[in-house]
Amino acid sequence: ATVEEDLRTQAAARFVILELGCGSRVPAVRMETSWVVRDALAKAGECDSAPPSISPEDARVLRIRISLDSAESDAGAEHTLHIQSRALAALRTIDAIMQELRS
């Protein structure tokens, strides 16, 4: 099954895109992940603009942008969680939190 089909048919389905180290000097990757977010939302039958107060816990499609650059608004910003950090450090922290939640 495709991601979009899962989002359409399974209420608990989530889709997360990790964007690692793609700061403002790599606009092609940042634009591509914006398009993927919009495309997944559209094909899943959801509108591509969420209320400004959307939280990562409520988002069914979420881009996690890990970069040392400051957060910048772009297309799909309401579906983006920005973590200002080095990629490896952020991934280690995410892993530790996930392990803690599982125990």
Side-chain angles (χ1 to χ4, degrees):
T2 65
V3 170
E4 294 88 353
E5 182 180 325
D6 287 346
L7 288 169
R8 206 172 28 253
T9 60
Q10 300 176 30
R14 302 282 189 260
F15 178 50
V16 176
I17 300 166
L18 282 176
E19 186 185 285
L20 305 172
C22 299
S24 57
R25 293 175 300 279
V26 191
V29 173
R30 292 169 70 107
M31 287 187 304
E32 178 67 24
T33 58
S34 294
W35 294 334
V36 170
V37 167
R38 266 184 284 160
D39 187 52
L41 287 167
K43 288 182 179 175
E46 297 185 23
C47 94
D48 66 350
S49 61
S53 61
I54 191 170
S55 68
E57 297 85 18
D58 296 330
R60 298 197 60 220
V61 177
L62 179 68
R63 171 180 47 184
I64 300 175
R65 175 178 281 166
I66 301 172
S67 173
L68 288 174
D69 287 353
S70 61
E72 296 176 12
S73 287
D74 63 4
E78 60 277 354
H79 291 273
T80 300
L81 172 64
H82 184 264
I83 300 172
Q84 192 168 4
S85 174
R86 293 193 178 280
L88 183 57
L91 290 174
R92 285 182 174 154
T93 301
I94 291 168
D95 182 54
I97 291 168
M98 290 179 70
Q99 287 184 29
E100 187 176 309
L101 290 173
R102 288 186 192 125
S103 59

